[in-house]
Every structure is written in structure tokens, then in C-alpha cells.
Amino acid sequence: MRFVTYESSDGDRAGVLNGDQVHAFPPGTALVDLLGPALRQAGERALAEPAEVVALADVRLRAPVPRPPSIRDCLCFLDHMRGCLKATGGTGTLEPTWYQIPAFYFGNPATVIGPHDDVPISPGSAWFDFELEIGAVIGAPGRDLTPEQAEEHIAGYTLFCDWSARDLQGLESQLRIGQAKGKDGATTLGPWLVTPDELPFGPDGRLALPVRAEVNGELIGEGRTDTMDWTFGEVISYASRGVELQPGDIFGSGTVPGCCLFEYLDSRDMAAFRGWLKDGDVVTLRAEGLGEVRQTVRASSAPHPLPTRPNPDARPRRPRINPAPSALPYTEGLHQIGDGVWAWLLPDGGYGRSNAGLVAGDGASLLVDTLYDLPLTTTMLSAMRPITDRHPLSHAVLSHANGDHTHGGQLLPESVRVIAAEGTAHEMRTEMPPEMTTALQVMDLGPVLTPYVRERFASFHFGGIRLRTPDQTFDQRLVLDVGGREVHLLDLGPAHTGADTVVHVPDAGVLFAGDLLFIGCTPIVWSGPIANWITACDTMVDLGVSTVVPGHGPVTDAAGILAVRGYFQHVVEQADAAFARGLDFREAAFGIDLAEYGDWLDAERVVVNVYQRYREIDPDQPVLDRVALFGLMAEWDRQRQQ
């Protein structure tokens, strides 16, 4: 038999499903009250003499047991755990204890939802995931059960989805006291409870159902329940040791291998990951014999922040002060820098603290770059609204592909034409999903790198970002008409990235330099060659502008461009001399004399710059990924702080 719970005018009603009709029990009868030996008899009575009959299509189904006495989510499929370990860079080898006892944790009965209810993303999470599982529902009290007895205490089975905030889960796992908010958001049960006699079991007694998981119609994974390592009987037996199980208690099977997003993550190639669940995504889970759940994921409001506690063991750090002089106040917000031209500044110019710009013409305006996350971009666009209400945004130019200049694009009106160099568009299409940057906030990357990246990236929220790629690309140069005003775009890359666009407003004498300029903070060469960056500085000087807005740091002029040029000349001279002496790049970077550039913020970026110079001199130098480079920068910075 298949049993359901549905909403009615007098509250939740329980009933038996007969074809496409529900034969209801009398009002006030909850399914949990019928569980046990008399369940079948009650079902037969409802089929023969229903209190009401309603069409399944006309009711909103609730979870079969809307508020179970308890939820234990188990890990019956060890291949799922192996897949999770591999996703985070491990070998997939489990500790011996996994083969000794079954694992489970307690879920939250108060957050059980029905098979078609919207699913709220856990507040503060950017890595929201589903897990297709099977739920076993206890039908009779029992204690100290054998595995065989435990199987007999199962009243039926239902689809079970464990909604998981993987980033919160990863951060909380470092406390080593079990699951918390990462698993506290929602658990789906439904669409109905199916008694064991209607389901297939293999010769070894394992439930044998094919399952399938989809997101927006895209197949994510499929598998079978009879690949369990620990059976329901075994995990229920284990849980019943010294504990009285109650009718309605739920036991989740754990994820059927392949039927979640997490297992498809590769920490060595995050760009290949499809991305986590976002607002509006539709998740469909099916199990033969148990039906289907289909639910839409919805955004939640931001959590109320909590101040961190003082850490008596933390190393004191030098205050971060951008030392560069500026004719304009270097304060957060919108600053007019010319006739119809504004700069949005975000001190102190460190990681993610980027600048943007606005150029207004007659009845139209152009935005130069967005910001690192949606809240920052929302604040900026709101501040610009008195201008853009009179001169609506018609164009947006992306100076390069890095997220601190592109992540807010989805907040722009659809009518805005987003423009970038072809190299920028290519990098945006091939970079890792924006929310993966959350790894810098939650992953345990070791005692040196973890505090380094958390300090620099903790203030940003990468959830809900849908990268808006350019509508139009150009090669080298493009002239735009913005309300009768000429705006010139020049791709001077590759240098900082594969393509680096500057935005020149000739009639105002203003240049938006993107990340070809870091003022008072250290530039970083992700692409190069460095000679190309030096040439780009010469090109910018030759434009003869009086006002220059860097990608990071305070507004400057030609002197700021020359300072960046001088920095790279100095790095090249120092690196070349070290290479000639036979030093490896690490020795060169850690022993470099930065001279007058040593007080620039984030001076440790010299590690990457020396690495890139060594690669230019000798292409056979070992290739390091960004995690390794960040690790070396963190080590350089720690040594400097001592």
C-alpha cells in the first residue's frame, strides 16, 4: 500500500492512495498514529469506507510523516564517502572505522518539507546541494534489535532528500563535533510511504530500486539502492542499542553514489564543476516504486552576522593602510572625477576591494566593471541611481575576467549591453563557477594558508551569483557612442590576465585602467608577459590623461602609472639577477629586495611575479597551480610579519 498525508481545510489529512485518488482516514487521524501491525487493516478500511475521496492532482502533498519523532541520516553507501574524499583532494581511502560501525547523525524533524515544497537555501550558503536517499520509517517500538528484527520494524519506505549546505558543513567539520547548520536547513520526505510488500528486494535482502537525480532536466546521477554496504536492518539495529525506537522515526540511507553534486567536484579542476544549486533551480529525484519529488530551490535572506571571538593564539598583524597619496579622498563610495564621470572606490584596494566607474552621456551611461559580490554591487548601483535614472545604463564594459570586476553583472538591467575583449569573454567561460571562491573562506588549507586567505576573503559573499557573460566582444580596440560621447576601449593585455581592457574618456581626460594599475597595493601577474605590462604602462602614459582610476587603490595620474612600471622593472632586474646566480624562483622571491615598493599592500604577491618571470626566462620551470602560489604567498607574508 501507499500512504500519503495532504493538506485539507481542516488540517493535515492522511489517506491511502488508490490509483490517482486518495481515500482519506477520518479527520484527526495522523499516519504516525496508524504505524504498526494494524496499518494494513486501517488502509483496507479506508479503501472500503473512506472518510472522503479526493483526486491526487487536487491536493498538496505533505511529507508522509510531517513531524517525525526523530531523523537519523545514515551512511549506508561507502562509495559516496569515497567520492566525497576524492572531491576534496583525497585518495578516497576510508579509515578502518567506517568498516567497523555504521555512521549516522541526527537531523532536524522541524525542517521536514513535502515532495513539491520550495526548498530554502540555508542562509549564508553558496554551496547548496541535494542528496538522493531512501528513508525507512519505523512502524513499531523496539530496543536492542537484531538486524533481522530491525527489518521487521520497518513500516515502509519513502524518498528522502538531505539538503546540504556544503560550505557550512565544511567549515563546521573543522570543529570536529558533528553536523550542525550545514545539515539543518531542510529534509524532504515523500511523495508517499510505500509498504515493503510492494517493493523489490534482492536475494541478499537489500532494497533493490533504481534511482535518478536531475537538476533543470539535466541528469546528475543515477544508481541502485542494492549497492548498500550497510543495510537498513544493520543501521537500525545499531541505533537501537540501549534506545527505544518510536513509530515514525526516520532512517535515511545516505546518498546513493553519484546522486548529489558534491561527488562531481574536483578540487584540482574547479572550473570543470557545473556549480551548486541556485535560486530557481528545479531538482527532480525519482526512485522506482517510490515515486518522484520535484522541488524548486529558493534564495534565503542573509544571516545576521556574529562577531568573531578574540583568538589569544593568533599572530598580531600589521594594520592594513594603503600608503599611496591621492588628490581625492580615498573613501568608499561614488566620487565625481570629471564632467559626467564618476569613480566608485572601495578601499583599501586589497583582494576583492576593487574600483568601478560610471560615464554619463545624453540620456545614456556606461558602467565600467561590477564588484566582487551581489551585496557590494547592489550598494554601488543604488548610489549611482540618481545619475542612471536621468541617464539610463546602456553599456557595461568589463575590464577583465576576474570575479571582483564581473560577479555583479546579473544585477544589471537586461537592456544593458555588456562588452568585453574576446580574451576576457573566453576566460569568463572557462573559469571556475563564482561560488567556488567560497573555498577560501571555509576549507582547511593548513595552518599558514588558511588564516591568510580567510583574513583577505572573509567579508565577501559568493552565493547566488550567476555570471553574466558579454553580449559583445571586440579585438584590440572599440569606440562606443554613449549618449553622443565617445568612449574608447583598448585591450592592452595579456598582462594581469589574458586580456586587460582600459576605458578612455577623451573629452574628460579620464582613464579607467582596470587591473593594469594597482596603486598603493602590489600588482599580480596571473598571465603576463611582464614586458607586455610595461608596454601597457607606456601606452597609458601616452594617452595624456590627467585622471586615472586604477582597478585597486586611490585615484591617480601619470605618476601612478610610472610607479607600477617602475615596480615591474625592479622585479625583472631582481629576478633576472637571481636566476643568473643559480637561485630557484622560491629563493629569488623570498630573498628579493623590494626597496621603495616594500610598503605597498600585499607585497607577498611578488612571489607570483617572480615565478612568472622565471617561467618567461625558462619555460621548463615547474608549473604551479594557484593554490600552490597562494600557499607560497602566505608563507612569504608570515615570514615578513615575524
Side-chain angles (χ1 to χ4, degrees):
M1 288 185 175
R2 294 179 294 169
F3 295 87
V4 299
T5 299
Y6 64 96
E7 287 186 352
S8 71
S9 57
D10 54 356
D12 288 349
R13 294 287 297 271
V16 184
L17 193 58
N18 183 23
D20 58 0
Q21 293 185 322
V22 179
H23 290 234
F25 294 112
T29 304
L31 183 57
V32 70
D33 298 327
L34 300 174
L35 297 176
L39 177 61
R40 171 167 290 279
Q41 182 179 358
E44 291 173 348
R45 186 163 54 249
L47 290 173
E49 301 175 2
E52 69 172 5
V53 177
V54 294
L56 180 63
D58 294 338
V59 299
R60 177 172 176 263
L61 291 178
R62 301 265 283 149
V65 182
R67 286 295 176 268
S70 72
I71 300 175
R72 293 173 177 86
D73 199 358
C74 310
L75 209 151
C76 297
F77 301 90
L78 296 184
D79 263 350
H80 167 64
M81 191 61 196
R82 295 184 188 102
C84 292
L85 292 177
K86 291 177 182 177
T88 53
T91 63
T93 301
L94 299 177
E95 295 292 334
T97 309
W98 285 95
Y99 304 98
Q100 182 178 352
I101 55 174
F104 73 85
Y105 68 90
F106 281 95
N108 186 352
T111 57
V112 168
I113 57 178
H116 305 120
D117 293 343
D118 286 352
V119 185
I121 295 174
S122 298
S125 175
W127 292 4
F128 199 57
D129 196 1
F130 68 89
E131 295 188 64
L132 190 162
E133 307 185 20
I134 306 300
V137 183
I138 298 299
R143 181 188 184 97
D144 295 322
L145 303 172
T146 67
E148 294 74 22
Q149 291 170 331
E151 293 279 359
E152 295 173 357
H153 279 65
I154 298 174
Y157 299 89
T158 186
L159 269 170
F160 181 118
C161 183
D162 169 31
W163 300 95
S164 303
R166 299 297 191 185
D167 44 353
L168 305 185
Q169 183 186 12
L171 185 61
E172 291 166 341
S173 68
Q174 295 161 41
L175 300 174
R176 294 178 172 83
I177 60 170
Q179 305 288 352
K181 297 304 295 180
K183 293 285 192 175
D184 199 34
T187 301
T188 297
L189 300 176
W192 34 71
L193 173 72
V194 182
T195 53
D197 58 291
E198 294 210 5
L199 298 172
F201 290 81
D204 57 0
R206 284 170 167 77
L207 188 66
L209 306 177
V211 302
R212 180 182 178 93
E214 299 176 355
V215 176
N216 301 328
E218 169 197 356
L219 175 65
I220 300 299
E222 52 190 348
R224 294 186 59 85
T225 61
D226 49 4
T227 60
M228 282 182 170
D229 295 277
W230 294 98
T231 67
F232 274 118
E234 289 169 329
V235 296
I236 294 171
S237 170
Y238 180 69
S240 75
R241 293 178 182 179
V243 173
E244 184 80 14
L245 302 182
Q246 300 299 317
D249 284 348
I250 308 291
F251 283 81
S253 66
T255 309
V256 178
C259 293
C260 68
L261 298 176
F262 188 28
E263 290 185 48
Y264 298 98
L265 176 67
D266 183 349
S267 60
R268 295 158 297 188
D269 185 14
M270 289 189 176
F273 184 55
R274 69 167 304 281
W276 303 100
L277 297 175
K278 296 183 177 66
D279 181 56
D281 284 343
V282 178
V283 178
T284 304
L285 308 179
R286 302 184 184 93
E288 188 173 296
L290 295 182
E292 172 185 294
V293 302
R294 181 181 176 87
Q295 300 177 271
T296 302
V297 173
R298 295 300 183 194
S300 297
S301 58
H304 300 294
L306 299 176
T308 58
R309 303 297 92 170
N311 181 354
D313 300 318
R315 292 170 176 262
R317 295 192 57 83
R318 298 175 184 175
R320 289 180 59 85
I321 300 173
N322 189 306
S326 177
L328 286 176
Y330 187 35
T331 56
E332 180 173 343
L334 196 62
H335 301 260
Q336 186 160 11
I337 56 173
D339 182 18
V341 185
W342 293 262
W344 179 267
L345 303 180
L346 194 58
D348 53 20
Y351 286 106
R353 310 291 295 178
S354 58
N355 302 327
L358 182 67
V359 180
D362 184 10
S365 61
L366 176 148
L367 179 70
V368 181
D369 285 337
T370 64
L371 300 177
Y372 209 9
D373 63 20
L374 301 183
L376 284 172
T377 305
T378 297
T379 299
M380 178 181 73
L381 294 178
S382 296
M384 292 177 172
R385 191 156 293 126
I387 303 162
T388 56
D389 282 348
R390 290 181 287 113
H391 309 281
L393 280 175
S394 55
H395 302 79
V397 175
L398 304 179
S399 64
H400 62 291
N402 286 173
D404 51 345
H405 298 260
T406 62
H407 279 178
Q410 72 194 74
L411 299 177
L412 301 176
E414 290 187 10
S415 59
V416 174
R417 189 163 189 80
V418 179
I419 303 170
E422 176 53 42
T424 295
H426 172 74
E427 288 191 332
M428 291 179 69
R429 290 191 295 266
T430 56
E431 283 193 343
M432 69 182 184
E435 67 270 19
M436 293 311 300
T437 313
T438 302
L440 301 176
Q441 300 170 324
V442 302
M443 289 183 68
D444 183 357
L445 300 171
V448 176
L449 183 53
T450 297
Y452 175 84
V453 294
R454 288 189 185 176
E455 179 186 26
R456 285 156 175 77
F457 294 93
S459 63
F460 305 108
H461 179 61
F462 301 108
I465 297 171
R466 294 182 183 271
L467 201 60
R468 180 169 174 180
T469 54
D471 303 305
Q472 176 183 348
T473 61
F474 70 96
D475 180 31
Q476 295 187 317
R477 294 174 179 269
L478 180 67
V479 177
L480 298 176
D481 182 319
V482 181
R485 192 171 196 176
E486 273 197 5
V487 177
H488 296 193
L489 312 185
L490 295 86
D491 176 12
L492 303 183
H496 172 62
T497 59
D500 295 286
T501 296
V502 299
V503 179
H504 181 207
V505 189
D507 65 3
V510 172
L511 177 71
F512 292 94
D515 278 8
L516 287 174
L517 285 189
F518 291 70
I519 301 300
C521 41
T522 306
I524 188 166
V525 184
W526 288 126
S527 182
I530 294 176
N532 211 29
W533 201 322
I534 292 173
T535 300
C537 289
D538 293 336
T539 301
M540 290 188 286
V541 169
D542 290 344
L543 292 173
V545 297
S546 57
T547 303
V548 181
V549 181
H552 297 258
V555 174
T556 189
D557 52 21
I561 302 174
L562 292 174
V564 172
R565 187 186 194 281
Y567 170 85
F568 281 120
Q569 285 181 316
H570 181 78
V571 168
V572 168
E573 290 170 1
Q574 292 274 309
D576 287 6
F579 185 86
R581 295 198 307 271
L583 301 181
D584 63 32
F585 101 84
R586 189 184 188 283
E587 292 171 322
F590 278 71
I592 195 169
D593 176 11
L594 284 174
E596 68 265 34
Y597 309 108
D599 290 333
W600 286 8
L601 290 178
D602 302 318
E604 67 277 2
R605 293 174 178 171
V606 72
V607 172
V608 178
N609 300 335
V610 171
Y611 164 75
Q612 296 291 4
R613 180 56 185 164
Y614 265 55
R615 292 270 300 155
E616 291 170 11
I617 299 170
D618 177 12
D620 291 331
Q621 289 283 318
V623 177
L624 299 179
D625 62 23
R626 288 199 178 182
V627 174
L629 291 171
F630 266 105
L632 288 170
M633 286 192 285
E635 184 181 345
W636 193 102
D637 180 66
R638 170 167 285 206
Q639 289 189 15
R640 187 177 188 231
Q641 298 291 334
Q642 291 175 346

